[in-house]
Amino acid sequence: MLCISSKEFIFWKKKQLSKGGDYQSFAVLLECVAGITSSDLTMININQDGWIYLKKNLDFLESLWDDHLLNSKPIQRLCGATFWRDLKLKVTDKVLIPRPETELIIDIVFKIFGNKSDKLLFAELGTGSGAISIALALAYPYWNGIATDIDQDALKIAKENFTNLSKQSNLRFFCGHWWTPFESFKGKIDLAISNPPYVPQNIFEKLPKEVKNFEPKIALLGGEDGLKHIEEIIHQAPQFLKEKGWLILENHFDQGEKIKQLFICNKFTSVEVVKDLSGIGRFTIGRYK
Ligand SMILES: C[S@@+](CC[C@H](N)C(=O)[O-])C[C@H]1O[C@@H](n2cnc3c(N)ncnc32)[C@H](O)[C@@H]1O
């Protein structure tokens, strides 16, 4: 631990923020690398004559901040961690940095199931860092969860995150293509969730540098029209869901209505496009029959 005066820190912080970037990213850097939380920052502002403790020196923090600003590298990649809902998750270049809009999936589940204490089985397809499944496994300790990813390296991160965040054993991980690893769970799943790769090819080419250059392609690309994986997931869902089981999918901003029709064509009822906080139809949900 290094100790510096609050005044020196405040001066340094102002200098860094004047170079550009957003405050939220800077706060991630401070918390993940320096160990300075938002309540520490409040205390520093209240008592500017005090001292603060840092896990890394200011030069090192500045080098990460510069790398972020100059090369458009996501700060979470540089810090190796991100905050998602109330979780701190490890992230590497093998997993998509879980997005704030995806946090709403958990609220959709809360809205559907409330605090039901039945023993349900939920499945996540394409778990990446494990964010969604881990949040559900923690919120519903009496539920059982199964999560897949095609990428072994991503699964390793998801498993590590689960072990770091929970002493529970109600979440298991499987490697494979979408529903394939769930052969033995056919007709048994109460709730399936996926935030699959849904970016259409032409949009992928135009994505901002921080996404196109630093997120795994396999986590983003959904084929020519973005619907390749979504179509497959919906089409096979009836074999795996229980009758009245729910399917929740995240989608690209303009895919909601098309996906709603796919749900209906595959015998789903109560189909709805759910908006995110920006008013975009970001999720499609429905019940199998
Ligand atoms: C958009 S990311 C979502 C990650 C995480 N669930 C989240 O919301 O942050 C999509 C994930 O699907 C995985 N994936 C891609 N193709 C797959 C396939 N054919 N079968 C299973 N998983 C796949 C990727 O490796 C990636 O982790």
Side-chain angles (χ1 to χ4, degrees), residues 96 98 102 124 126-128 132 149-150 176-178 195-197 218-219:
L96 182 94
T102 306
E124 189 198 359
T127 194
I132 298 171
D149 206 285
I150 192 94
H177 178 78
W178 301 132
N195 171 20
I218 195 171

Side-chain angles (χ1 to χ4, degrees), residues 28 49 69 84 87 95 106 117 121 130 134 145 161 165 219 229 240 249 252 260 268:
V28 170
D49 291 325
L69 295 178
W84 192 85
L87 307 176
V95 296
I106 308 300
S117 54
L121 176 64
I134 295 171
N161 278 325
L165 291 162
H229 299 295
F240 293 87
L249 295 182
H252 207 228
K260 187 175 175 182
F268 280 80

